[in-house]
Amino acid sequence: MSICYIALGSNLGNPLEQANHAITALQQLPKTKVADISPFYRSKPLGPQDQNDYLNAVIKLITGLSPIELLDALQAIEKSQGRMRKDNRWSARTLDLDILLYDNLIINSERLTIPHYHMKHREFVLYPLFDIAPELILPDNDNLHDLVVKCPINGMKQWN
Ligand code: ROI
């Protein structure tokens, strides 16, 4: 079994409903247990500002799925919750589920980059990850606590 951390983001429809629905779907994945869920945060959009604030959270999974099986499963959940393929990198989205970390693996393939790009500089990833994994060391030996200390919180608040 492997330990992975998944970033959840949503800023369309009802983000709280999207998040809860996604967590239910994660709990139903084969060979997988939801081991922890961070608090839900309200963050300012990174990218174009003419979109809603995001709900962001991080979820810890214990899984027997391989990285690609997990990616396929996450993309199926995104799709079932209305994510459109036309969503481009910077646009609003109903649901984003990204693999941040998978054990201590480093993967750079066409479909997967683990650790997730930019995770070291995004408050809406680092803070919720720190809430549930305060002792975490990244595969390149960076210490999560040090990254959090260096990352401005940028007005992020608890969702409610
Ligand atoms: N901005 C925030 N605050 N949270 C996200 O999850 C998020 N996801 C994205 C972009 C559009 C880059 N901006 C975001 O994909």
Side-chain angles (χ1 to χ4, degrees):
M1 298 297 270
S2 296
I3 297 182
C4 4
Y5 293 93
I6 309 295
L8 180 156
S10 170
N11 78 335
L12 278 183
N14 181 332
L16 188 58
E17 258 173 38
Q18 297 293 347
N20 285 326
H21 201 277
I23 289 165
T24 302
L26 292 171
Q27 283 162 339
Q28 288 165 359
L29 289 180
K31 298 188 262 181
T32 302
K33 281 215 155 37
V34 172
D36 212 346
I37 304 169
S38 76
F40 292 173
Y41 286 93
R42 183 185 298 276
S43 65
K44 298 208 168 67
L46 174 69
Q49 295 299 298
D50 59 340
Q51 54 179 320
N52 298 336
D53 286 351
Y54 278 76
L55 184 156
N56 283 113
V58 171
I59 297 148
K60 178 182 181 179
L61 300 181
I62 314 279
T63 188
L65 298 176
S66 70
I68 284 291
E69 287 172 331
L70 182 60
L71 177 66
D72 286 338
L74 298 181
Q75 289 184 345
I77 295 171
E78 289 176 342
K79 206 168 162 197
S80 79
Q81 290 188 227
R83 175 80 180 264
M84 302 291 179
R85 270 197 67 77
K86 68 175 170 48
D87 288 0
N88 70 36
R89 241 190 104 206
W90 299 103
S91 69
R93 61 261 335 273
T94 48
L95 180 67
D96 212 2
L97 292 172
D98 292 328
I99 304 174
L100 297 172
L101 297 167
Y102 186 104
D103 289 333
N104 258 327
L105 291 185
I106 297 177
I107 301 176
N108 288 293
S109 69
E110 204 176 307
R111 290 189 65 204
L112 264 183
T113 303
I114 301 177
H116 193 261
Y117 322 89
H118 313 308
M119 65 171 284
K120 291 184 180 185
H121 308 287
R122 294 185 168 178
E123 74 284 359
F124 55 83
V125 173
L126 293 176
Y127 284 74
L129 180 59
F130 184 74
D131 287 329
I132 60 173
E135 311 288 342
L136 194 76
I137 309 289
L138 302 197
D140 65 2
N141 278 333
D142 268 355
N143 183 310
L144 179 61
H145 176 262
D146 295 342
L147 296 170
V148 169
V149 167
K150 280 186 267 180
C151 184
I153 197 159
N154 194 27
M156 188 170 69
K157 300 190 171 66
Q158 293 262 116
W159 181 255
N160 263 322

